[in-house]
Amino acid sequence: MLAIGAVAVALVVLALAVRLGGAFSETAAPGLSQAGALTKAGLSAARLGGDAAAVLTVGWLLVAAVFVPGTPAGRRCLRAASLAATAWAACTLALIVFTVLDLFGVGVTKVTGDMMRMFLLELPQGRALLLVLAAAVAVSVAAGLPRAGSGAGYPLAVALAGMLPPLFTGHAASGANHSLAVYSLVAHILGVALWVGGLVALVTAAPAVGDRLPRVVGRYSGLALVSFAVDGASGAVNAWVRLGGVHLGSRYGALVVAKAAALAVLGAIGWWHRRATLPALRGGRGARPFLRLGAVEILVMAATMALATGLSRTPPPEVAPGTLDAVALRLGFPLPGPVGAGPLLLDWWIDPLFLVLVAAGAVLYGTGAARVRDWPWRRSLSWAAGLLVVLVATCGGFSRYSMVLFSAHAVQHVLVGAVAPVLLLYGAPLRLASTAMRGEGGALLAAAAGSRGARVLTDPAVSSALLLLSLYAFYLSPLFGASLANHALHSLALLVFLLVGLAYFHGTAGTLMPFALLPLHAIAGIALMRGGTVLGGWYEHLERRWGASPLDDQHLGALLLWTGAAAVTLAVAAARGLYGRGTRSTTRLSASTTVGSYSEAESSRSLSSTAAPRSRSPESPTRSS
């Protein structure tokens, strides 16, 4: 009955939102071939069905992987997730077909193989939907395996990632403030998936959870509160970017107001949960109040998701003609002047993804250091220095000039992918977290850090290959040009560089692999320096009238790239060899204890203290996580 009610509410609200929002209007997409009303209705229904199935998949995987892992209830949630992922794949297929019909303005009987090939392989939106389809199929298969319960976190990660590709190709990725628009939408979608999907999974799986329901609902309540705050903030930011300010007189603005009202209702229901139903659960008065109010909340969530789908099909307000600069539209900001020390240090361009990550890293690390007595100050200083390097490279002048000069992009790459990981790893964040966290949170952290995926990524051979690919092969691939044309994708590429650098410097600690890679750095870098064409097809079209030519600047950037990466690698390897001389100890420790590297001085100090009573200082590597 709850499912029937949610579907009915969602369809009614979607029909109203699409009709009132103007998606059926003949001028909704001027200049493009117009499809019929049936195609547009099918497109909206397929999008809503795919979004709902994806959210349900995430919710059941969340419960199976985090709240009730390894239990019969968790296995039932995995089976439900497999079925939901199958529905997600079916809706994505329908969405692909309806999008082709809408794009070419033809009936379903006139769709040709060339149309499908062009859409799926040549257009960004088609490639994004193809990735979504692959993710849905992979999750459906993985969650349905007999032994899926022991690794439910992997399908959950794939499902969350599978919801994101269309966000990098939609209106937000091509409008003003590209990165801010896309990543506010990413945060919004992920928050909705965890919040809505988690509630549906808990309400439907409550009988199977049994006596563990009060504790599980209590843990979910904290996640729901964070998701509510993230959704509210990210939704407001995205609406402000799309509307260009507080302009609520348009149809798009009216739907934003309706969605904000629905979010307020959900906030009131969440407050009532915390005030009444959670104390009732903890007090042993039964789960009926929670289930009853949760069912009402799910109906409101269904209406809110339908509003969001209608909003995605509603054309935003048009920009006044003559107010757009072609170069500024490509870059996201006006073309800067000649590069120098002043602009690089003072002419900042904020990357919202890294600004949030750096702020979160500083707050979480500071909280952990405050909880752990006698945490070494040099660890905190190294972590702060690493965060500062990331902030300067991604939000300072390098962030702006990396879109204009290949050489600035190369320096930014070295800072994020080589310098910052060394400083962050010496801060030993995972060691601090494992010491500061207690209970189930610490157990989940240790399980994630010691998982098979983490061990594979930090394997010396794997991490070395990933480093070389990210440093050099990236610039020869189509991803380089795509990352320059899309700020959000550029930020994502920098995040990958940072993660690869962390895996490499952790995985190769105490090995000879860094020395073995030095010739490969030189070969790959010199090959880039001798290239006769400008890579990416981006820099030569900016009409820059100062500085070196794009090809000469590319040669300089290739030199900076390979010499900088090789110098950092050699310096770190030499420093570890100096500290580790004459000892059998290793600088590589288990990921469940630390993600950082230890100097031999600390290891010797810990060994010399074994004659005394065990110290409770976090300096001792014998302290278990």
Side-chain angles (χ1 to χ4, degrees):
M1 293 300 296
L2 178 61
I4 293 174
V7 170
V9 168
L11 290 178
V12 170
V13 174
L14 176 64
L16 292 174
V18 170
R19 183 67 181 178
L20 298 179
F24 285 129
S25 172
E26 292 299 322
T27 60
L32 298 179
S33 59
Q34 296 294 312
L38 182 60
T39 297
K40 294 182 177 181
L43 184 62
S44 299
R47 186 182 299 276
L48 177 60
D51 292 344
V55 166
L56 292 178
T57 302
V58 169
W60 276 312
L61 289 173
L62 175 69
V63 173
V66 177
F67 295 136
V68 289
T71 63
R75 288 189 288 272
R76 292 184 62 181
C77 287
L78 282 173
R79 289 194 294 270
S82 180
L83 294 175
T86 303
W88 183 14
C91 290
T92 303
L93 278 175
L95 182 60
I96 290 173
V97 173
F98 281 117
T99 304
V100 170
L101 298 180
D102 184 53
L103 180 64
F104 292 98
V106 297
V108 66
T109 58
K110 296 182 180 180
V111 175
T112 64
D114 288 338
M115 292 180 182
M116 296 296 295
R117 181 193 57 79
M118 180 183 298
F119 176 69
L120 293 176
L121 300 181
E122 298 183 14
L123 297 183
Q125 186 182 6
R127 292 195 294 265
L129 289 178
L130 201 58
L131 289 175
V132 174
L133 179 61
V137 172
V139 171
S140 176
V141 173
L145 294 176
R147 300 182 61 182
S150 59
Y154 296 111
L156 174 60
V158 173
L160 290 171
M163 301 180 69
L164 304 183
L167 306 183
F168 289 85
T169 61
H171 294 295
S174 59
N177 298 306
H178 317 139
S179 192
L180 181 60
V182 171
Y183 281 110
S184 62
L185 195 56
V186 167
H188 196 74
I189 294 299
L190 294 182
V192 167
L194 296 172
W195 180 19
V196 178
L199 179 65
V200 173
L202 284 179
V203 170
T204 54
V209 175
D211 296 337
R212 303 176 65 180
L213 185 62
R215 181 178 58 83
V216 170
V217 171
R219 293 174 60 196
Y220 164 78
S221 179
L223 175 64
L225 180 61
V226 173
S227 299
F228 172 78
V230 169
D231 286 338
S234 60
V237 169
N238 194 266
W240 179 82
V241 171
R242 296 292 299 276
L243 291 171
V246 186
H247 304 295
L248 304 179
S250 62
R251 293 180 175 182
Y252 192 93
L255 289 180
V256 169
V257 172
K259 190 179 174 185
L263 185 66
V265 173
L266 290 174
I269 295 176
W271 172 81
W272 188 254
H273 268 303
R274 286 178 168 267
R275 177 182 176 86
T277 62
L278 290 183
L281 272 176
R282 297 190 184 103
R285 295 195 294 272
R288 191 173 185 84
F290 165 74
L291 297 178
R292 184 167 54 242
L293 188 59
V296 175
E297 189 174 7
I298 289 173
L299 294 177
V300 179
M301 286 177 170
T304 308
M305 289 186 63
L307 278 174
T309 303
L311 194 64
S312 69
R313 296 290 300 158
T314 300
E318 295 183 2
V319 179
T323 60
L324 295 178
D325 178 19
V327 176
L329 186 61
R330 285 172 62 87
L331 290 174
F333 48 82
L335 184 69
V339 67
L344 287 177
L345 294 177
L346 302 177
D347 196 5
W348 283 46
W349 177 255
I350 302 298
D351 186 309
L353 173 64
F354 279 95
L355 181 64
V356 171
L357 289 177
V358 168
V363 171
L364 294 176
Y365 194 94
T367 303
R371 289 184 178 181
V372 177
R373 293 178 298 173
D374 302 326
W375 180 252
W377 63 268
R378 60 182 175 276
R379 298 283 189 192
S380 301
L381 184 61
S382 180
W383 178 262
L387 291 181
L388 181 61
V389 169
V390 173
L391 184 66
V392 170
T394 58
C395 298
F398 287 106
S399 177
R400 189 184 296 270
Y401 280 94
S402 67
M403 309 296 294
V404 181
L405 295 170
F406 185 92
S407 56
H409 193 286
V411 174
Q412 182 188 44
H413 193 160
V414 172
L415 290 175
V416 173
V419 178
V422 175
L423 296 171
L424 294 174
L425 285 173
Y426 189 77
L430 191 55
R431 182 186 180 197
L432 173 62
S434 63
T435 307
M437 295 179 67
R438 296 290 184 269
E440 295 180 350
L444 284 173
L445 176 66
S451 63
R452 184 181 305 172
R455 293 196 302 271
V456 170
L457 288 177
T458 55
D459 180 81
V462 174
S463 60
S464 299
L466 290 176
L467 180 75
L468 292 176
L469 290 174
S470 67
L471 279 174
Y472 307 109
F474 168 75
Y475 293 101
L476 300 175
S477 70
L479 291 175
F480 176 53
S483 69
L484 292 173
N486 189 316
H487 281 204
L489 192 59
H490 183 246
S491 301
L492 195 62
L494 290 176
L495 181 60
V496 172
F497 298 157
L498 178 61
L499 295 177
V500 169
L502 291 170
Y504 169 75
F505 285 104
H506 173 57
T508 59
T511 69
L512 297 178
M513 189 65 75
F515 296 101
L517 289 186
L518 290 178
L520 298 179
H521 280 291
I523 293 173
I526 293 174
L528 282 179
M529 289 174 58
R530 299 184 63 178
T533 58
V534 180
L535 301 175
W538 173 266
Y539 293 112
E540 69 269 33
H541 296 136
L542 294 179
E543 300 180 0
R544 174 172 54 86
R545 303 185 184 278
W546 49 263
S549 67
L551 186 58
D552 291 339
D553 179 70
Q554 179 176 298
H555 292 163
L556 173 62
L559 176 64
L560 295 173
L561 181 68
W562 83 263
T563 55
V568 173
T569 301
L570 181 61
V572 172
R576 284 170 174 164
L578 177 63
Y579 282 119
R581 185 177 301 162
T583 178
R584 298 178 60 185
S585 65
T586 177
T587 57
R588 294 182 71 241
L589 298 183
S590 169
S592 62
T593 304
T594 178
V595 74
S597 301
Y598 291 82
S599 68
E600 174 56 24
E602 291 176 330
S603 299
S604 300
R605 184 159 56 248
S606 67
L607 291 174
S608 64
S609 65
T610 55
R614 178 174 295 180
S615 171
R616 292 191 59 83
S617 170
E619 281 296 305
S620 173
T622 60
R623 182 182 176 94
S624 169
S625 64

